Amino acid sequence: MTAIVAPAPTDPPPTAQRARTGLLLAYLRPHWPAMLLGLLLGLVANAAGLATPLVTKWVLDTLGAGGSLGRPVTVLLVLVVVGAAISLWQWVLMGGVAERVVLDARSGVIRRYFAARIEQLTRRPSGELVTRATSDPGLLHEASGSLVGLINGAVALVGTLVLMGTLDLVLLGTTLVAVVAVAVLMGLLLPSIGRAQEAAQESVGRLGGALEGSLRAIRTVKASRAEQRQAALITTHAEDSARHGIHAARRAAVVWTISWTGIQLAVIVILGFGAARAGQGLIEVSTLIAFLLYAFQLMGPISELTQNMTAMQAGIAAAGRLREIEAIAVEPGASTASAPSDHAAPAGVSAPGGAVLAFRGVTARYAPGAPPAVRDIDLEIPRLGHTAIVGPSGAGKTTLFSLMLRFLEPEQGRLLLDGRPYPDHTPGEIRGRLAYVEQEAPVVPGTVGDNLRFTHPDATDEELWAALRAVDLHEKVRSLDLGLDTPLTATNVSGGERQRIALARAVLRTPDVLLLDEATSQVDGLTEAAVGRCVRQRAAAGAVVTIAHRLSTVLDADQIVVMDRGRIRAVGDHAALLRTDELYRDLVTSLRIGTTETPPAPEVGGSTGSGRLLVPLDRLPQE
């Protein structure tokens, strides 16, 4: 198998690098008071550290003069204790800031996801979206303190060099040569660390997307004996991430080695050159010792600068990836504030009679330049009754649901809710009038009660039992030891039970329009009859719209919409369409609405020109 390897990261232009740095600062800006306090604490701690060699010189000079050591030693101890206490305070403070920065970034990504347009999320692998919310914000942890660390390190470095200059300018010149050489090499190497970190995160995102998809289809993977192939394919993304991570680690190791080696060489030169000057009487031994202490102390700010520059490069890369998520288009009226509203949108007041939903010349596509998914749709959904939408695969049935739920915006034409254009309503107001059951009927993490209350958190237990009774699931739930409090996962319920729970959630409180994406696709015959009764009851009190793939779903429909290639082909009831529409007859005689392939059954009454088997209508199952 050929490994899929991402191309090596290229150098971004200076303007792009500055823009990404600005993105990182944008995440830090809300925390500037705490960061300013951390900076001040760091400066005080640096001052205590910078004074230590001078006080050490004072101790040595006092010892040489035969004076009392009590006062200089006391001052030295005070500096050490105060410096340690202030450093501890700063570490605790900046650690809290780092966690809050990560929390803000992670919360912002999560809120953006739930406010985003559906198509903005579905075009990306869900595993990659999870990585953007979990792994990328984590890189901001160390980067959040990097700005304060850089300032503190720079001040400590300048302060150390200034105090070294007060001791001996000649030795200072020797030190500056080493510092400048280290700085130049670090400036050349550090940007590549950030680029490698960004490439590694991109690979982790691709890994998450591929792994999530494979785990979701794990039964198919195992049934196809594709475990090794999928593992090898996904491992290529892990290997790619490791390759970029190793590249970053190597560059970081080079940077650290250069900084440490440079200062150590400087210390050796200072020791030899300073000893010669002390031997000539040009400087005192205590001055040489103090200068050497400052030289060793240079490792502190240089290490701090190196570490924080590395962290900042990783943070800049993470900020750039997070900003891509913040650029995702959101739904009209959606809020990404830190305290989003949690109450349901109030239902509108429905006028009696007429159409509750209407399409007027609607054309829509899923992406610019893509062919229209539906075109020139004119359709009215009566306020009462059952409307079934049928058609071959790809006819545009699900797109109509996406338009009704405002998951997709029309390119041309308009939709009306109670005679008012959709743009006059927020998405939340529209969805507050509709209830939707997906074909997959996903289980929401939590208990049976949590799943039923997902749309209406304030629903009472009596309402939950009534909804379960409507889908003939109340006896099953009552037989469970914990009843409504039974934990529910995708592995402990059957497909039919999962679909009935989703239907119960939808009918918990009578919506104006109930949308069912083939609610009987995974249920047995008895359950199908119970679901059919529920649909008929709801159709008597409101509008029910179903996407139908089974004959039983459409037989009792008040209005059947036949779609083909994104257009409405015919509208009528079952009997009328059997007489007037050839496609509908083909769909019905296949016994599986939407199937375009020849069923694996013996031919009974001949064959259509399209390859569908014809079954005499008098042999169709009757209700």
Side-chain angles (χ1 to χ4, degrees):
M1 175 175 290
T2 303
I4 302 174
V5 180
T10 57
D11 293 345
T15 53
Q17 185 70 13
R18 287 194 295 271
R20 291 186 175 187
T21 303
L23 296 179
L24 175 60
L25 295 178
Y27 284 104
L28 304 181
R29 193 171 294 118
H31 306 277
W32 70 265
M35 295 182 66
L36 180 59
L37 177 58
L39 175 61
L40 294 176
L41 291 174
L43 294 177
V44 173
N46 282 336
L50 291 173
T52 300
L54 291 178
V55 176
T56 301
K57 181 179 182 302
W58 180 19
V59 171
L60 294 176
D61 290 339
T62 303
L63 180 62
S68 173
L69 296 177
R71 185 179 177 188
V73 170
T74 300
V75 172
L76 188 60
L77 290 174
V78 169
L79 287 175
V80 172
V81 173
V82 170
I86 292 177
S87 295
L88 175 62
W89 185 5
Q90 185 198 30
W91 287 340
V92 173
L93 176 67
M94 295 308 298
V97 170
E99 293 297 337
R100 286 191 291 272
V101 168
V102 173
L103 174 62
D104 288 351
R106 192 165 283 155
S107 301
V109 171
I110 293 171
R111 290 194 299 270
R112 196 75 181 190
Y113 285 166
F114 288 105
R117 295 180 183 272
I118 291 291
E119 75 276 5
Q120 295 286 322
L121 300 177
T122 54
R123 69 179 55 168
R124 294 174 169 86
S126 55
E128 179 181 351
L129 294 175
V130 171
T131 300
R132 296 287 181 107
T134 54
S135 178
D136 287 352
L139 293 178
L140 297 178
H141 188 279
E142 297 298 331
S144 61
S146 61
L147 183 61
V148 171
L150 286 173
I151 296 175
N152 280 331
V155 170
L157 179 62
V158 172
T160 300
L161 293 175
V162 169
L163 291 176
M164 291 172 81
T166 63
L167 294 175
D168 191 87
L169 291 175
V170 176
L171 294 179
L172 174 63
T174 304
T175 306
L176 285 176
V177 171
V179 171
V180 170
V182 169
V184 170
L185 291 173
M186 287 173 58
L188 294 174
L189 294 173
L190 282 174
S192 64
I193 296 176
R195 295 192 298 272
Q197 290 276 8
E198 183 175 9
Q201 286 301 109
E202 292 286 351
S203 298
V204 170
R206 290 191 293 270
L207 184 152
L211 181 59
E212 187 272 340
S214 295
L215 291 178
R216 196 154 32 88
I218 188 63
R219 289 179 174 83
T220 300
V221 171
K222 287 183 174 295
S224 303
R225 306 184 309 281
E227 299 98 319
Q228 296 300 322
R229 281 181 282 128
Q230 284 301 106
L233 177 63
I234 296 172
T235 301
T236 58
H237 298 305
E239 292 170 350
D240 194 38
S241 175
R243 182 171 63 86
H244 291 298
I246 291 171
H247 177 71
R250 288 175 177 172
R251 289 302 179 96
V254 172
V255 169
W256 280 94
T257 301
I258 289 174
S259 61
W260 278 91
T261 304
I263 297 304
Q264 287 174 343
L265 290 175
V267 168
I268 294 174
V269 173
I270 290 169
L271 181 59
F273 195 43
R277 289 177 60 78
Q280 297 172 5
L282 298 176
I283 59 173
E284 298 178 353
V285 174
S286 61
T287 300
L288 175 60
I289 294 175
F291 198 96
L292 286 171
L293 289 176
Y294 277 124
F296 283 113
Q297 196 166 293
L298 274 178
M299 288 307 304
I302 288 180
S303 298
E304 189 173 6
L305 288 171
T306 303
Q307 180 178 353
N308 285 291
M309 284 296 294
T310 303
M312 177 170 280
Q313 292 297 322
I316 289 172
R321 283 171 52 83
L322 292 172
R323 189 61 72 184
E324 293 175 8
I325 298 300
E326 294 189 5
I328 288 178
V330 300
E331 293 181 323
S335 173
T336 57
S338 58
S341 173
D342 193 34
H343 60 272
V349 178
S350 299
V356 63
L357 276 173
F359 292 76
R360 297 285 186 262
V362 172
T363 296
R365 66 185 80 224
Y366 284 98
V374 294
R375 65 176 73 211
D376 302 326
I377 300 297
D378 286 293
L379 177 66
E380 290 190 350
I381 306 298
R383 194 171 302 280
L384 296 176
H386 177 196
T387 297
I389 303 174
V390 302
S393 177
K397 304 183 294 294
T398 300
T399 301
L400 291 189
F401 271 27
S402 296
L403 288 163
M404 293 181 200
L405 290 160
R406 210 170 177 183
F407 295 160
L408 181 67
E409 297 290 338
E411 181 181 87
Q412 296 177 2
R414 60 179 184 162
L415 281 81
L416 305 176
L417 177 62
D418 277 335
R420 290 178 56 197
Y422 259 40
D424 292 351
H425 305 269
T426 67
E429 290 170 346
I430 292 171
R431 294 162 194 165
R433 305 275 299 278
L434 280 60
Y436 174 49
V437 179
E438 299 180 58
Q439 185 172 7
E440 293 80 7
V443 171
V444 180
T447 64
V448 174
D450 293 335
N451 273 262
L452 296 176
R453 289 190 175 96
F454 196 67
T455 304
H456 301 287
D458 58 339
T460 64
D461 285 356
E462 289 74 16
E463 289 178 299
L464 301 190
W465 286 114
L468 290 171
R469 194 174 297 109
V471 297
D472 199 22
L473 201 60
H474 58 294
E475 292 183 358
K476 168 71 173 179
V477 176
R478 286 190 188 280
S479 67
L480 301 174
D481 292 338
L482 299 178
L484 293 172
D485 295 325
T486 302
L488 197 61
T489 66
T491 58
N492 64 6
V493 291
S494 67
E497 290 170 342
R498 187 170 65 246
Q499 211 146 18
R500 280 187 287 168
I501 288 173
L503 180 58
R505 178 170 63 237
V507 302
L508 181 63
R509 292 177 181 169
T510 304
D512 289 348
V513 183
L514 175 61
L515 305 176
L516 304 177
D517 191 350
E518 189 44 73
T520 59
S521 64
Q522 301 184 58
V523 297
D524 55 52
L526 293 176
T527 304
E528 182 178 352
V531 173
R533 288 194 299 271
C534 179
V535 169
R536 287 191 290 273
Q537 292 171 0
R538 297 297 161 175
V544 178
V545 185
T546 61
I547 292 177
H549 297 86
R550 297 176 71 164
L551 179 63
S552 60
T553 307
V554 302
L555 288 176
D556 290 336
D558 302 292
Q559 174 180 248
I560 301 171
V561 180
V562 183
M563 297 195 67
D564 187 26
R565 300 178 182 178
R567 297 180 184 272
I568 293 180
R569 175 186 173 102
V571 179
D573 61 19
H574 178 66
L577 290 174
L578 276 178
R579 292 191 307 269
T580 61
D581 191 79
E582 179 182 2
L583 174 62
Y584 184 73
R585 285 197 299 271
D586 288 350
L587 291 170
V588 169
T589 55
S590 70
L591 294 182
R592 284 176 57 87
I593 299 293
T595 298
T596 58
E597 297 178 357
T598 303
E603 186 171 334
V604 178
S607 172
T608 68
S610 62
R612 300 185 184 93
L613 291 179
L614 292 177
V615 180
L617 295 180
D618 59 354
R619 299 191 183 184
L620 296 178
Q622 301 295 320
E623 291 268 29

